[in-house]
């Protein structure tokens, strides 16, 4: 991008001047930022207006958390920091959950919040929305900065961008006190103070000996496995990752948001044999995936250990940009530190150099996996073919599975408990970065923010599969979806409550049980309230028709899909973390 001319504010001053508002906007534009997700109010209302006037796309939300989630996932999809703009104290706090979630998930975003007068905040003299926001944001962000002077805006924005996208990506907080916006300075000096960040996320080339160590270990394996995480999806090294997997012939497992990096129908996918391959594998190569709770910390029975704490028999290779990730749970025999693109390409080069010496994994390993996969897929096909009344998760998701297969460019947003776990295992993805979900924390509330951003960033159809509880956290953004006329189809798996709606109040008192919602709620009418299309369905055939129509029309659609309230389990698949969960 070429240099951006600061917008000149005409005043009586002898030479043209610019101000804080325009310097912030110009600094963002100079760095290729074209969209701001936010919610206006004091002191940033004019910033949103002026940003729009300057050609930025400003997407206004109904709650800052949703704007923050939109920014975070835009960052994941584009490798550019997503920008979320909020007002001071309460607006800032509302955005903070999204900032912390972005940092946890390694999504690059910048939360920019207006703030009150420093002098009054620091002496605690009682300003409008007084709060020491910088101090509060620090532990939740990868980095946090405050800009006090207009001439420092260029540096502040540049530092925020670098912090968000370099190394392990994360959430960054940028504090802009109200007074900054009105500060004026000479336009030419202002222009010169801005920084166009050169190479914001520099490649990190792995050391040659680390590449060799990893390859030797991989070669020695009798039962190798590659585990792809959302870092691998983020890295946009899709062709090389596929080439590495196909060249080595090693079976792979995608973590939730790495689904589609290779099509889930790929013959080397071991997803349908997950519980077999994890404990059986002897060498596991992690590519942009952490051994956190989602992988049982690399230990315990999942990995063939004899009890919850015992290590299994695996040796690990880990490709990650963060050196500190190594050994965080178990020993990493072959750490390969660098960016995934560079690491995978170095591995490929070394394998090519080995020529015919590279042998595919032993046939017994591959056939054992194929056998498990075959059995599990056949069992799944049988379950999906059933058509029970009322509709359950499986019969509804059989439809969603077909719709995604027919529309592989569509983006799937997914949250809930059972609605999440069943969708992840039943709905195949065919392209990279098309599955966006609750991520590392299993956070509810990302749904509509992710859906808006996905549609805005990609222009592709978005399908959001939502538990009825999950939807409630961000449901008001259906107005946003209608306002911007986005091609989003929200499908609510309505089973009358958190998990399901079957609990009863044991006291017999007038309150329903804590997990129960209004029975038979019509979420479809919410969408109709704002001019979108609402559909109420109780059968798979109706769901199919409604989803096909939504994709065809591209109109904001909400389908209230009634699901058997006794289907599924409490906490979905993570009942192990909920010792008191009732098994159904
Ligand atoms: P998942 O939840 O899918 O298992 P995680 O969020 O746990 O994935 O892990 C993602 C990992 O990817 C993080 O450790 C992060 O440091 C790493 N990562 C992110 N981007 C890159 C990149 N470009 N190159 C290398 N590693 C990356
Ligand atoms: N609050 C937040 C922010 N995140 C959470 N994960 C939870 C609460 C706890 N929680 C879950 O982990 S899943 C879930 C909650 C409230 C909702 C499950 O109900 P649902 O899904 O209707 O969305 P199913 O498909 O009916 O199980």
């Amino acid at each position: 991008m070429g240099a951006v001319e600061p917008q000149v504010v005409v005043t009586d001053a002898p030479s043209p001047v610019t101000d804080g508002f325009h310097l912030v906007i110009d600094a963002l534009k100079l760095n290729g930022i074209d969209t701001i997700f936010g919610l206006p109010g004091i002191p940033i209302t004019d910033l949103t207006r002026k940003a729009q006037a300057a050609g930025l796309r400003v997407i206004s939300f109904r709650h800052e958390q949703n704007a923050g989630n939109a920014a975070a996932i835009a960052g994941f999809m584009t490798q550019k920091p997503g920008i979320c703009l909020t007002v001071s104290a309460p607006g800032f706090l509302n955005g903070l959950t999204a900032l912390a979630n972005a940092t946890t998930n390694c999504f690059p975003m910048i939360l920019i919040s207006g703030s009150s007068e420093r002098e009054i905040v620091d002496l605690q003299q009682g300003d409008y929305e007084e709060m020491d926001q910088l101090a509060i944001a620090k532990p939740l962000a990868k980095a946090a900065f405050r800009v006090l002077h207009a001439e420092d805006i260029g540096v502040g924005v540049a530092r925020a961008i670098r912090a968000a996208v370099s190394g392990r990506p994360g959430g960054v907080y940028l504090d802009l006190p109200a007074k900054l916006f009105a500060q004026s300075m000479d336009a030419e000096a202002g222009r010169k103070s801005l920084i166009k960040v050169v190479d914001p996320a520099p490649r990190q080339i792995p050391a040659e000996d680390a590449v060799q160590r990893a390859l030797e270990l991989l070669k020695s394996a009798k039962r190798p496995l590659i585990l792809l995480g959302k870092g691998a999806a983020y890295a946009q090294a899709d062709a090389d990752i596929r080439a590495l997997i196909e060249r080595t012939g090693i079976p792979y497992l995608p973590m939730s948001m790495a689904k589609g990096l290779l099509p889930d129908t790929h013959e080397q996918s071991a997803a349908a044999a997950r519980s077999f391959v994890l404990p059986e594998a002897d060498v596991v190569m992690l590519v942009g995936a952490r051994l956190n709770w989602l992988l049982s910390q690399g230990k315990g029975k999942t990995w063939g250990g004899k009890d919850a704490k015992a290590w299994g028999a695996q040796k690990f290779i880990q490709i990650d940009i963060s050196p500190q990730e190594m050994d965080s749970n178990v020993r990493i025999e072959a750490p390969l530190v660098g960016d995934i693109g560079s690491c995978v390409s170095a591995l490929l080069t070394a394998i090519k150099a080995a020529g015919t010496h590279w042998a595919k994994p032993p046939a017994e390993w591959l056939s054992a996996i194929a056998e498990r996969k075959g059995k599990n897929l056949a069992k799944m096909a049988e379950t999906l073919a059933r058509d029970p009344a009322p509709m359950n998760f499986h019969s509804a998701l059989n439809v969603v599975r077909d719709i995604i297969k027919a529309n592989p460019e569509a983006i799937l947003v997914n949250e809930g408990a059972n609605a999440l776990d069943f969708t992840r295992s039943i709905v195949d993805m065919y392209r990279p970065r098309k599955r966006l979900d609750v991520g590392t924390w299993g956070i509810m509330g990302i749904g509509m923010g992710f859906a808006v951003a996905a549609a805005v960033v990609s222009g592709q159809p978005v399908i959001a599969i939502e538990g009825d509880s999950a939807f409630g956290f961000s449901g008001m953004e259906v107005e946003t979806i209608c306002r911007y006329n986005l091609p989003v189809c929200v499908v609510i798996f309505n089973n009358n409550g958190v998990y399901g709606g079957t609990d009863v109040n044991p006291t017999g008192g007038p309150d329903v049980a804590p997990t129960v919602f209004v029975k038979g709620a019509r979420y479809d009418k919410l969408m109709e309230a704002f001019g979108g299309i609402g559909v109420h369905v109780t059968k798979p055939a109706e769901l199919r028709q409604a989803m096909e129509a939504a994709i065809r029309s591209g109109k904001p659609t909400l389908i209230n899909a009634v699901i058997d309230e006794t289907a599924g389990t409490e906490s979905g698949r993570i009942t192990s973390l909920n010792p008191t969960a009732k098994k159904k």
Side-chain angles (χ1 to χ4, degrees):
M1 255 185 87
V4 173
E5 290 300 318
Q7 296 183 21
V8 172
V9 181
V10 180
T11 69
D12 295 337
S15 63
V17 295
T18 186
D19 60 16
F21 285 117
H22 292 100
L23 287 166
V24 171
I25 293 162
D26 292 343
L28 293 174
K29 284 181 73 176
L30 182 62
N31 284 289
I33 304 286
D34 53 16
T35 307
I36 292 176
F37 304 95
L39 202 162
I42 296 172
I44 51 96
T45 316
D46 269 352
L47 186 60
T48 61
R49 291 192 184 112
K50 290 174 201 282
Q52 187 174 56
L56 283 166
R57 188 147 194 218
V58 181
I59 305 291
S60 261
F61 283 76
R62 304 298 295 261
H63 189 290
E64 291 87 350
Q65 188 177 125
N66 307 319
N69 286 324
I73 209 66
F76 170 76
M77 292 171 72
T78 63
Q79 298 184 325
K80 277 196 294 190
I83 306 292
C84 174
L85 183 61
T86 80
V87 303
S88 35
F92 156 79
L93 286 173
N94 283 346
L96 216 46
T97 305
L99 183 73
N101 189 56
T103 306
T104 299
N105 281 279
C106 318
F107 298 156
M109 78 171 274
I110 304 175
L111 174 68
I112 303 180
S113 297
S115 59
S116 329
E117 303 274 353
R118 286 261 32 101
E119 294 80 351
I120 302 179
V121 172
D122 290 347
L123 275 172
Q124 298 175 30
Q125 294 177 306
D127 203 350
Y128 171 70
E129 297 188 350
E130 175 185 304
M131 175 174 273
D132 188 358
Q133 297 169 195
L134 187 69
I136 291 166
K138 259 185 193 158
L140 303 174
K142 185 180 166 195
F145 306 101
R146 175 185 293 133
V147 182
L148 290 179
H149 305 292
E151 60 267 30
D152 293 333
I153 287 172
V155 169
V157 170
R159 298 211 66 192
I161 290 172
R162 272 201 193 281
V165 297
S166 63
R168 171 183 279 177
V172 175
Y173 176 59
L174 188 61
D175 192 86
L176 302 182
K179 269 206 296 203
L180 177 77
F181 298 115
Q183 281 179 28
S184 60
M185 69 183 287
D186 174 72
E188 177 59 12
R191 191 178 65 78
K192 286 191 178 146
S193 73
L194 301 184
I195 296 174
K196 180 168 166 47
V197 178
V198 176
D199 195 10
R203 281 186 306 155
Q204 298 193 16
I205 315 288
E208 183 54 31
D209 57 337
V211 174
Q212 283 310 326
R213 191 188 300 119
L215 263 190
E216 289 308 316
L217 184 52
L218 203 56
K219 257 199 245 175
S220 73
K222 300 264 178 307
R223 296 180 306 281
L225 177 70
I226 293 176
L227 238 156
L228 301 175
K230 62 170 118 60
Y234 175 77
Q236 299 194 15
D238 310 336
D240 273 0
I241 289 173
R242 184 172 186 150
L244 179 71
I245 286 172
E246 291 182 343
R247 179 71 180 81
T248 59
I250 297 175
Y252 74 95
L253 264 185
M255 298 298 287
S256 191
M257 282 177 62
K259 274 167 69 76
L261 201 42
L262 285 80
D264 280 337
T265 47
H266 195 284
E267 64 160 351
Q268 283 172 254
S269 168
R274 190 179 193 274
S275 58
F276 170 70
V277 290
L278 289 182
E280 290 293 324
D282 62 350
V283 174
V284 178
M285 182 160 81
L286 303 158
V287 186
R290 289 170 286 187
L291 284 175
N292 56 18
W293 71 280
L294 289 161
L295 285 168
S296 312
Q297 270 85 24
K299 298 184 261 215
K301 289 184 181 159
T302 308
W303 293 91
K306 58 184 182 319
D307 58 48
K309 294 263 179 219
W311 290 20
Q314 295 72 21
K315 290 185 170 163
F316 288 96
I317 302 165
Q318 184 160 27
I319 303 183
D320 206 289
I321 203 153
S322 166
Q324 291 180 67
E325 187 54 39
M326 308 300 153
D327 305 325
S328 48
N329 282 292
V330 294
R331 180 185 309 112
I332 301 298
E333 309 276 340
L336 192 47
V337 175
D339 71 278
I340 286 167
S342 300
C343 292
V344 170
S345 125
L347 285 172
L348 269 175
T349 308
I351 287 170
K352 278 183 198 143
T356 50
H357 301 307
W358 183 272
K360 301 237 160 175
E364 309 87 82
W365 176 230
L366 301 183
S367 60
I369 296 173
E371 192 192 319
R372 291 297 191 300
K373 248 180 93 170
K375 267 193 206 146
N376 290 342
L377 289 175
K379 223 190 294 168
M380 171 77 84
E382 216 174 275
T383 315
L384 293 180
R386 284 187 207 125
D387 186 7
M391 181 158 73
N392 65 10
F393 289 101
H394 290 87
S395 57
L397 283 166
N398 189 37
V399 172
V400 180
R401 176 182 160 98
D402 290 347
I403 299 278
I404 293 285
K405 188 173 184 186
N407 301 278
E409 74 290 356
I411 294 169
L412 181 70
V413 172
N414 189 201
E415 61 178 337
N418 295 284
L420 175 86
D421 293 334
F422 286 124
T423 305
R424 187 178 52 233
S425 58
I426 293 171
V427 178
D428 289 329
M429 304 306 297
Y430 300 86
R431 303 217 183 135
R433 294 170 295 283
K434 294 293 189 186
R435 188 186 150 84
L436 311 174
D437 68 26
V438 299
T440 304
W441 268 347
I443 191 172
M444 297 299 114
I446 48 87
M448 297 305 103
F450 277 18
V452 168
V456 165
V457 166
S458 73
Q460 301 289 352
V462 177
I463 295 169
I465 303 296
E466 301 272 316
D468 51 341
S469 164
F471 172 75
F473 288 74
S474 67
M476 194 63 210
E477 303 299 344
V478 294
E479 189 275 332
T480 310
I481 292 169
C482 290
R483 185 164 15 108
Y484 294 102
N485 195 23
L486 298 172
V488 175
C489 171
V490 182
V491 181
I492 296 181
F493 283 177
N494 188 354
N495 58 359
N496 298 333
V498 178
Y499 314 127
T502 51
D503 276 8
V504 285
N505 179 345
T507 70
D511 292 345
V512 295
T515 53
V516 171
F517 294 160
V518 167
K519 304 249 181 196
R522 293 289 301 271
Y523 292 97
D524 47 313
K525 293 191 186 285
L526 265 178
M527 192 57 121
E528 287 176 355
F530 303 107
I533 295 169
V535 193
H536 175 72
V537 305
T538 58
K539 296 186 180 70
E542 295 166 355
L543 177 60
R544 189 180 301 272
Q545 202 177 16
M547 289 187 78
E548 281 172 353
I551 297 266
R552 229 181 3 255
S553 73
K555 295 209 177 106
T557 301
L558 192 153
I559 302 169
N560 182 54
V562 178
I563 298 287
D564 181 358
E565 65 175 8
T566 66
T569 56
E570 179 165 334
S571 307
R573 292 260 168 91
I574 54 173
T575 40
S576 62
L577 299 183
N578 188 359
T580 58
K582 283 185 292 184
K583 302 272 190 308
K584 284 182 188 163

